[in-house]
Amino acid sequence: MKHLLKTRLRDLYARTLFHTGLHAVVDRLMPRRLTILAGHCVAGPGSNGVLPPDMKISSGRLEEILTWLGRRYDLHTASSGWRALRAGEGRRGLVALTMDDGYRDNATAMLPLLRRLGAPATVFLETRPLDERRVNWTHKYFWIAGKLEPEPFLDRYRRTCAKKQRQGLLKVLEAMVRPGFKFDYHFKRYLKYDADPEDRDRTIDALFAELGGDERALCDELYLDWDEARELRDGGCELGCHTRGHVILSRAADDEALRAETAGAAEDMRAALGARAGAFAYPFGRRWDFDDASVEAVRAAGFDLAVTTHAGTNGPGDDPFRLKRLMIDDGAQLHLLVAEACGGFDLLRLFGVDLSE
Ligand SMILES: [Zn+2]
């Protein structure tokens, strides 16, 4: 109830700022800020049909957002935006578009749009799909979920995983009988945080193979290759780093594994692109997905900044290794993005009211 009320108030406040033009007044009142948008894919049935809707934005919606924001704010990459913010250059409102993981549609669908609009973006690459044509477990999970109904999927998973892992699955099974059960949420959450990562990967691999999955073909369908990544770079995009294999850094097995996913991924990028990557994105990006050791490893790997998936704007005094971002998919609403980008929610916070997500 409280959450619903907050959502309604947020929407009402954002609509008021947006439709009355008050956003322009707030923009002039509030300190300079960088708003970083975060998406994954530009929707296209041939390139990312297997991925869930919250990872996609239509090119029409993206165009609407960039066009509107581009008229009133300076559009940047994550790195150039951060530099401009620190240097006090440009307009008061700076906006950077970022896309995570390195999907093929970023080159085939997003790049032509960016060229037409004269807008830049940062694409955060996982290097293993580009180097080895292998995908992380979540993509095989989505692929299997497209072939099997929740019950048979869970049942086959239980029968295939290690015996001692089965206990943890009880939580998912219990949740399954509750009304409004969201299989994708509960099962994926179990696989992400509760399952033993090695056993999970082995089990998902086995089910994927049993159902006739072809990892190379799935990777080719979903991910960029290095040539396409260079095309993005030559088209004005920044290429940032998103680890090798999309592991949760706070749960890296040991220091060596953490170093491989940070400094190792940075070396992969330098080897393929001949230049250092300045920006890093933490996989999954919530504050429990990375910790102080992860931040230190990213800093030690030579990056200048790192982005999270916590919502909000960034000021010049903020920690460059914990920058906030606003997630966008096809349900992204322009008035809410504008209310954030103009500093509207920061303004409310000055009065002790927190309506942000
Ligand atoms: Zn990611």
Side-chain angles (χ1 to χ4, degrees):
M1 188 59 211
K2 209 175 149 201
H3 180 72
L4 187 69
L5 185 66
K6 189 175 165 182
T7 306
R8 293 252 167 89
L9 280 174
R10 174 165 64 226
D11 194 66
L12 183 68
Y13 175 66
R15 279 183 199 280
T16 307
L17 289 183
F18 184 70
H19 293 293
T20 59
L22 270 174
H23 62 85
V25 180
V26 176
D27 177 48
R28 280 195 295 274
L29 276 173
M30 294 301 289
R32 292 167 50 78
R33 74 215 80 91
L34 168 65
T35 307
I36 309 177
L37 308 177
H40 292 92
C41 291
V42 175
S47 56
N48 50 44
V50 71
L51 298 178
D54 67 356
M55 291 181 72
K56 298 174 199 173
I57 185 164
S58 65
S59 68
R61 177 56 62 97
L62 186 59
E63 175 165 2
E64 179 201 15
I65 290 171
L66 290 178
T67 304
W68 200 99
L69 294 175
R71 270 193 222 120
R72 288 147 185 99
Y73 307 106
D74 289 346
L75 298 183
H76 278 279
T77 65
S79 289
S80 73
W82 179 247
R83 275 196 301 273
L85 182 71
R86 296 289 293 240
E89 289 165 9
R91 287 191 262 194
R92 305 182 66 72
L94 312 172
V95 174
L97 172 66
T98 66
M99 299 292 260
D100 285 6
D101 303 345
Y103 294 109
R104 164 155 277 164
D105 54 78
N106 290 186
T108 56
M110 183 179 75
L111 185 58
L113 174 66
L114 295 181
R115 282 210 170 103
R116 198 148 47 74
L117 301 177
T122 298
V123 175
F124 288 107
L125 304 175
E126 287 169 65
T127 61
R128 179 160 301 138
L130 279 76
D131 270 341
E132 301 172 27
R133 304 316 284 166
R134 285 171 60 199
V135 299
N136 71 58
W137 68 271
T138 61
H139 298 92
K140 291 178 200 162
Y141 167 90
F142 292 132
W143 186 89
I144 297 167
K147 307 259 172 226
L148 293 179
E149 291 297 320
E151 259 173 80
F153 187 178
L154 199 55
D155 190 50
R156 284 169 86 155
Y157 188 93
R158 276 186 73 206
R159 281 188 279 125
T160 313
C161 73
K163 237 186 200 144
K164 63 175 183 215
Q165 291 292 308
R166 286 180 198 162
Q167 189 66 20
L169 277 164
L170 287 176
K171 264 203 299 194
V172 186
L173 285 167
E174 276 163 18
M176 214 161 180
V177 297
R178 278 187 237 136
F181 168 76
K182 288 194 191 103
F183 173 74
D184 221 49
Y185 173 81
H186 283 93
F187 191 32
K188 216 176 137 216
R189 202 180 158 78
Y190 161 78
L191 295 174
K192 202 162 138 189
Y193 294 118
D194 300 331
D196 169 66
E198 258 178 57
D199 185 65
R200 173 201 62 208
D201 290 355
R202 186 192 59 74
T203 308
I204 291 280
D205 277 353
L207 296 185
F208 182 73
E210 258 172 55
L211 291 164
D214 177 340
E215 183 162 4
R216 170 81 201 218
L218 183 60
C219 190
D220 287 347
E221 182 184 321
L222 286 173
Y223 279 93
L224 296 162
D225 59 30
W226 284 117
D227 282 338
E228 288 163 326
R230 282 186 276 270
E231 220 178 282
L232 279 167
R233 180 195 60 191
D234 298 343
C237 289
E238 171 184 30
L239 298 177
C241 183
H242 195 38
T243 71
R244 277 183 172 155
H246 213 275
V247 301
I248 299 174
L249 291 182
S250 60
R251 290 163 181 245
D254 51 33
D255 287 353
E256 191 43 44
L258 180 58
R259 208 204 68 85
E261 294 293 336
T262 49
E267 284 156 25
D268 298 343
M269 292 196 60
R270 190 195 285 271
L273 301 166
R276 182 182 76 91
F280 186 91
Y282 302 107
F284 305 108
R286 308 299 290 175
R287 62 177 70 86
W288 47 87
D289 297 319
F290 62 96
D291 56 14
D292 291 346
S294 328
V295 172
E296 214 23 71
V298 169
R299 199 194 308 265
F303 294 102
D304 306 316
L305 64 90
V307 295
T308 71
T309 53
H310 285 281
T313 62
N314 303 284
D318 287 347
D319 181 350
F321 289 90
R322 287 182 175 81
L323 296 178
K324 297 185 194 114
R325 294 192 292 173
L326 304 179
M327 301 308 291
I328 51 165
D329 59 23
D330 215 37
Q333 307 212 47
L334 188 55
H335 63 277
L336 288 170
L337 297 177
V338 170
E340 192 77 71
C342 75
F345 291 116
D346 296 333
L347 175 67
L348 282 187
R349 230 170 275 126
L350 292 178
F351 297 99
V353 181
D354 192 353
L355 280 188
S356 57
E357 280 176 80

